[in-house]
Amino acid sequence: LTHAAEALDEIFTSKQSWLFGFFDNVQSSESVKVAKLFGDLLKKQYPDFQERCEVPLIDLLEWELWPGFIKIYASNSKYLKETQQDWQIICTCALSQFEAICNKILSGHITMDELDVIQPREKQMIKLCTVVTGTAGVK
């Protein structure tokens, strides 16, 4: 499983255009193995999550997997409703971070430092907005 997670991580971080579509296909899966794999990838990315309990904004905007994870998390599949996994908590935290930054943008309380983080990563920000709002995405 470790090798599979590493291989998928390499594929996903290669910024292939099919990545967004991949999560569309996986979203409908009720597979425990798929959920475990996603959990393993998130735990690998955030090994000290239990101590810090945060997903930094820069991570949301730089790690290409976040839109897909959020899409899966928001799918409300039967499997997700019946289980509570560590990776779901990480996704909840990521969504809270994203919602907080969106609220700052909308209210005009965003800082220049936060804008400096977002501006060069606007495509990822748009992908995250697309997934969170459920509208047609930027590929």
Side-chain angles (χ1 to χ4, degrees):
L1 186 61
T2 301
H3 296 297
E6 289 171 4
L8 281 175
D9 196 25
E10 285 179 29
I11 290 170
F12 294 154
T13 56
S14 69
K15 301 181 184 201
Q16 298 292 325
S17 61
W18 54 268
L19 179 61
F20 218 60
F22 169 80
F23 282 105
D24 285 334
N25 294 333
V26 175
Q27 179 179 350
S28 62
S29 174
E30 298 291 329
S31 172
V32 173
K33 291 179 183 177
V34 170
K36 181 170 178 11
L37 181 60
F38 287 166
D40 289 344
L41 285 169
L42 278 170
K43 287 177 195 174
K44 179 183 166 199
Q45 183 75 9
Y46 300 99
D48 60 345
F49 181 80
Q50 295 297 330
E51 296 156 17
R52 292 184 324 151
C53 294
E54 73 170 314
V55 176
L57 176 62
I58 191 85
D59 286 5
L60 281 171
L61 298 176
E62 287 190 346
W63 199 34
E64 289 282 319
L65 295 178
W66 269 119
F69 280 124
I70 291 172
K71 189 175 227 179
I72 299 282
Y73 176 73
S75 71
N76 292 319
S77 72
K78 180 182 175 188
Y79 174 74
L80 293 179
K81 288 179 183 176
E82 293 174 357
T83 61
Q84 182 63 19
Q85 303 290 323
D86 290 344
W87 71 271
Q88 292 172 286
I89 297 167
I90 296 171
C91 284
T92 299
C93 184
L95 277 170
S96 293
Q97 170 69 282
F98 184 72
E99 184 178 278
I101 201 71
C102 288
N103 285 335
K104 284 182 173 185
I105 291 169
L106 292 172
S107 70
H109 291 101
I110 191 159
T111 67
M112 287 304 294
D113 288 339
E114 291 165 328
L115 283 174
D116 287 343
V117 169
I118 295 168
Q119 195 274 327
R121 299 161 186 92
E122 74 179 284
K123 280 192 174 187
Q124 178 80 348
M125 185 73 173
I126 292 169
K127 285 180 183 178
L128 289 166
C129 289
T130 299
V131 169
V132 170
T133 62
T135 60
V138 174
K139 294 188 180 183

